[in-house]
Amino acid sequence: MGARNLKIEHIENPEFLKQLSVDELGALCRDIRTFLIGSIAKTGGHLSSNLGAVELTVAMHTVFDSPKDQLIFDVGHQAYTHKILTGRATQFPTLRQTDGLSGFLKRSESDHDVFEAGHSSTSLAAGAGMLQAKTVNNQIGHVVMLIGDGALTSGAALEAMNFMGHDDSKHPIIILNDNDMSIGPNVGYLSKVLSKIRLRRGVRGIRSKTLKIIPRPLRSITYSVEKRIKGFIAGQSYFEDMGYDYYGPLDGHDLRTLLKAFNVAKQTSKPCIIHVRTQKGRGYAPSEADQTGQWHGVGSFEVEAGTMPHAPEDHQESYSRAVTRFLTAHAAEHPDFFVITPAMISGSELEQFATSYPKRLIDVGIAEQTALTMATGMALKGVGVFVSIYSTFLQRAYDQVLHDLARHNVHVVLGIDRAGLVGGDGETHQGVFDIPMLSHIPNMTIAHGKDIKELYGLLRYAMTVHRGPMAVRYPKETTPIYTEAIEAVEPIGPSWETVTWGQSATVVTFGSLIGELTEVLNGSDVRLINARYIKPLDIEMLKSIPTDKPLLVVEESQRQGGLGQQILATLATLNRLPKVFDHMAFDDVFIAQGDRQTMLKRHGLDVMSIMQRLESLRHAT
Ligand SMILES: Cc1ncc(C[n+]2csc(CCOP(=O)(O)OP(=O)(O)O)c2C)c(N)n1
């Protein structure tokens, strides 16, 4: 072990860092890296971002006094070193598991976790809020915001940067962690600006040469012109023009440099940005070499071999990949068809489409709002568009779905990935709010298939028959690979399907629960209805449900505003309310991390709980 024979597991809080020499801090960083690689290899987690931020985090905790100084981590996916330094190393074997250590910051875990996230680009606005609070609360020290170059591309971050830059009386300290990557390569003009800034040293050379050949009296004028040129060449003026003192670009793995820069920032009083260059995945060869984001978030892996054995079994693939195969086949027949992704090529497994149609895959960066409004603009001009987006990140673009997409009533297909429970990412990432969010928006159609064939049928309908915005949901699960011709799949229009027939009760649900319930309801005298269209409801099918027998609606979604409440309201309007009705769903709650089956059980949505509820309803009639 490195620093003063300190074991990582024995760290209780970051106080001890202030006693260590730079060499000892360096040894500690090496130990932390080894710990992270060994630990994440067992549990999975955000490997690359954490390996890149070790020195940065150690330096932050050495110079600043957390928790009085507010250390805010954007997304929070890179905060594992912060967790170690604040006494949580022993909990790493439970990382991202049911009731275990969160993969993000959690105020309930530590006083040092001053702001929680999971969605990106909130750190600057949160910091702006704390700086405002500081004007009336002297318990708040420095406000330090660590944000990645990917997260900085989001409007949410840029708005807050714009806001804070105008106010010299406050002292935001922004640390820009620039590794030239979002999950995959970063995109957009800002990433070019950062590349230009990295050339700054070369630009200094240009300045001294310029000065030598210009007469002394003209030098100051030349200097101001040159500063503009330098700004243009280097992009440095981007931040200075926004009101910030700019320091950088600095080597984000060099502790001496980092400590010096953070100390300078601490002593200034103006808004400042410290721009550090880091290497994503540093210290582990496979993640260092990763250009696409495969090692950004990982399951368990073999450290020596650099392999990830959790790949889907033979003949199985993720729904994301299955959808990409559909999109690729569709693109072959439709030359005017585009796919938009907000920075999730690797998460949504769009690689096959990217390889086949690189010009027709548009990565807008972490910019969900732009993705939706841009799709609207394209569709208004007659172009076919599919927006691939996680359910949880669609939340960012509510107004764009409503005000742009739906109000213009344009034909855009939303592929809602990660619909339902998501596992280890937990509370901030659960895909359980999009149904309530979209259902009440006029012109929206929402569908969710029970299996891959049905999903393809719904997608075929959405792409080739439907006109207007349509959301097609699919889960974070695997499916048997569809081996027949995707091109030949028939469209499935708005309609429900009776899966098992029976008289004693009716169960309405959709998605994976259909398969799970079919097995137990077959031959049970219960009618199981597949509500593959969540909007519009199948009114004829609803009318056929007997009112004197129990009706149970089950959904892997929020109860409030969910399918069950819509069915109930519609049945009331039709004057066909059943005598016994129940609705099983997540009840006004944020759902913690944990594997899907455990969480379904905890919230009473596993097959056994559903069957028990059904039994008690049948006895009630
Ligand atoms: C609103 C939102 N969209 C997408 C994501 C998925 N996501 C998590 S981390 C990440 C990349 C962040 O890149 P950067 O800020 O540069 O940090 P790095 O991982 O490179 O350190 C993305 C796109 C998210 N968390 N939130």
Side-chain angles (χ1 to χ4, degrees):
M1 272 292 143
R4 295 192 181 171
N5 293 325
L6 183 79
K7 270 182 97 65
I8 300 278
E9 288 82 357
H10 293 164
I11 296 173
E12 285 174 8
N13 62 55
E15 275 304 301
F16 74 103
L17 293 173
K18 299 188 194 314
Q19 318 302 325
L20 301 186
S21 68
V22 176
D23 286 346
E24 287 171 327
L25 290 173
L28 176 67
C29 290
R30 283 193 289 281
D31 289 348
I32 289 177
R33 248 195 202 93
T34 308
F35 176 88
L36 286 176
I37 295 167
S39 185
I40 299 171
K42 293 195 191 97
T43 57
H46 283 104
L47 181 76
S48 300
S49 315
N50 280 291
L51 291 180
V54 174
E55 288 82 6
L56 256 180
T57 316
V58 166
M60 282 164 73
H61 271 292
T62 306
V63 173
F64 296 101
D65 296 315
S66 173
K68 182 170 198 290
D69 289 341
Q70 312 291 305
L71 305 189
I72 307 174
F73 292 81
D74 203 273
V75 187
H77 65 310
Q78 79 294 56
Y80 294 1
T81 299
H82 163 79
K83 290 196 180 226
I84 290 169
L85 296 176
T86 51
R88 286 171 269 179
T90 53
Q91 295 169 49
F92 268 72
T94 68
L95 183 72
R96 293 167 56 86
Q97 291 161 28
T98 313
D99 301 324
L101 190 67
S102 169
F104 302 102
L105 297 199
K106 263 262 161 273
R107 289 165 69 231
S108 57
E109 277 181 16
S110 170
D111 288 346
H112 295 273
D113 291 10
V114 294
F115 189 78
E116 295 179 6
H119 288 199
S120 91
S121 317
T122 59
S123 60
L124 303 193
M130 291 183 191
L131 284 165
Q132 198 61 44
K134 188 177 153 94
T135 59
V136 289
N137 179 348
N138 61 15
Q139 297 304 305
I140 300 170
H142 294 283
V143 179
V144 184
M145 297 146 257
L146 176 66
I147 185 164
D149 56 316
L152 194 65
T153 61
S154 163
L158 294 173
E159 286 165 16
M161 188 165 83
N162 175 49
F163 173 78
M164 286 189 290
H166 88 289
D167 185 358
D168 264 1
S169 72
K170 300 199 178 67
H171 181 213
I173 300 174
I174 299 175
I175 302 172
L176 171 57
N177 176 13
D178 173 13
N179 54 24
D180 210 8
M181 300 270 279
S182 186
I183 289 181
N186 203 4
V187 299
Y189 182 70
L190 191 56
S191 89
K192 282 196 185 149
V193 168
L194 296 177
S195 305
K196 286 174 184 172
I197 292 178
R198 286 174 218 130
L199 299 174
R200 188 171 169 226
R201 289 210 166 74
V203 174
R204 274 195 188 134
I206 292 171
R207 172 162 192 250
S208 53
K209 272 185 221 145
T210 324
L211 286 182
K212 263 186 231 157
I213 53 169
I214 289 173
R216 192 167 289 277
L218 292 181
R219 280 186 192 171
S220 64
I221 305 169
T222 315
Y223 178 62
S224 80
V225 173
E226 188 205 55
K227 204 173 160 210
R228 261 181 274 141
I229 295 169
K230 185 169 118 184
F232 174 70
I233 296 171
Q236 177 189 346
S237 67
Y238 182 90
F239 296 111
E240 290 179 344
D241 291 350
M242 285 194 85
Y244 292 82
D245 279 350
Y246 170 87
Y247 304 95
L250 308 174
D251 179 347
H253 301 296
D254 184 82
L255 280 164
R256 263 191 192 82
T257 306
L258 293 174
L259 295 171
K260 208 183 288 173
F262 293 171
N263 272 309
V264 170
K266 200 172 162 178
Q267 278 149 30
T268 59
S269 56
K270 268 190 66 184
C272 72
I273 289 192
I274 306 162
H275 176 188
V276 300
R277 293 278 296 131
T278 58
Q279 180 184 27
K280 196 157 178 163
R282 188 171 178 99
Y284 183 57
S287 54
E288 280 186 4
D290 180 19
Q291 292 300 308
T292 57
Q294 300 309 310
W295 289 88
H296 172 89
V298 294
S300 57
F301 62 93
E302 303 286 347
V303 178
E304 292 299 319
T307 52
M308 302 186 211
H310 67 284
E313 294 159 22
D314 281 353
H315 313 298
Q316 294 269 328
E317 65 182 353
S318 67
Y319 269 97
S320 309
R321 188 175 292 229
V323 168
T324 297
R325 292 202 299 120
F326 182 95
L327 299 174
T328 313
H330 183 81
E333 291 170 0
H334 298 85
D336 61 348
F337 170 70
F338 290 81
V339 173
I340 299 180
T341 172
M344 298 305 283
I345 291 178
S346 119
S348 293
E349 298 190 58
L350 290 161
E351 291 89 350
Q352 184 196 2
F353 192 93
T355 309
S356 306
Y357 302 104
K359 296 217 166 99
R360 292 205 259 152
L361 177 65
I362 305 163
D363 180 355
V364 292
I366 307 177
E368 289 78 8
Q369 300 173 332
T370 297
L372 267 294
T373 305
M374 194 174 154
T376 307
M378 289 164 76
L380 278 171
K381 295 298 152 200
V383 169
V385 195
F386 180 95
V387 180
S388 164
I389 190 161
Y390 284 18
S391 164
T392 187
F393 301 143
L394 184 63
Q395 290 162 202
R396 273 273 160 99
Y398 172 73
D399 188 50
Q400 285 68 20
V401 174
L402 190 152
H403 174 271
D404 302 331
L405 195 65
R407 223 172 35 80
H408 283 97
N409 198 15
V410 283
H411 180 220
V412 168
V413 181
L414 297 182
I416 303 194
D417 199 346
R418 308 303 203 257
L421 296 183
V422 297
D425 280 332
E427 212 166 278
T428 54
H429 282 59
Q430 305 288 11
V432 297
F433 295 103
D434 63 278
I435 290 178
M437 181 177 116
L438 297 176
S439 293
H440 66 274
I441 297 180
N443 295 331
M444 275 307 301
T445 295
I446 310 166
H448 189 144
K450 66 174 188 280
D451 57 22
I452 188 60
K453 182 161 187 209
E454 191 166 82
L455 171 60
Y456 281 169
L458 296 168
L459 283 170
R460 172 79 64 221
Y461 176 83
M463 305 278 223
T464 59
V465 182
H466 190 69
R467 290 288 159 254
M470 177 159 168
V472 181
R473 310 175 82 238
Y474 41 96
K476 186 191 180 186
E477 283 165 36
T478 56
T479 162
I481 295 174
Y482 189 72
T483 48
E484 290 161 49
I486 293 178
E487 298 76 7
V489 176
E490 290 294 323
I492 300 173
S495 62
W496 290 357
E497 171 200 40
T498 295
V499 184
T500 65
W501 287 95
Q503 305 286 333
S504 66
T506 305
V507 176
V508 178
T509 189
F510 56 84
S512 312
L513 284 169
I514 289 287
E516 291 162 27
L517 285 174
T518 306
E519 282 180 29
V520 287
L521 289 179
N522 246 332
S524 69
D525 199 28
V526 171
R527 184 178 177 192
L528 175 64
I529 293 178
N530 172 17
R532 58 196 173 192
Y533 275 84
I534 292 147
K535 190 184 175 193
L537 304 180
D538 186 332
I539 301 294
E540 289 313 308
M541 188 82 84
L542 276 180
K543 284 183 186 164
S544 75
I545 295 173
T547 53
D548 59 344
K549 293 286 185 299
L551 168 61
L552 175 62
V553 182
V554 187
E555 55 187 313
E556 191 178 326
S557 175
Q558 279 286 308
R559 175 201 299 275
Q560 290 68 22
L563 175 70
Q565 293 194 342
Q566 290 162 53
I567 287 178
L568 195 58
T570 306
L571 287 173
T573 311
L574 294 169
N575 204 16
R576 289 197 58 85
L577 277 178
K579 277 200 202 106
V580 176
F581 174 86
D582 210 343
H583 180 194
M584 300 175 78
F586 300 117
D587 196 5
D588 208 14
V589 70
F590 289 110
I591 301 145
Q593 68 194 34
D595 71 273
R596 178 168 174 271
Q597 282 309 328
T598 310
M599 283 300 130
L600 284 177
K601 189 160 185 203
R602 192 167 285 184
H603 291 272
L605 283 171
D606 60 308
V607 171
M608 187 161 337
S609 306
I610 295 168
M611 293 306 291
Q612 281 166 356
R613 182 74 66 92
L614 191 58
E615 255 333 281
S616 66
L617 294 179
R618 281 159 90 182
H619 282 112
T621 46

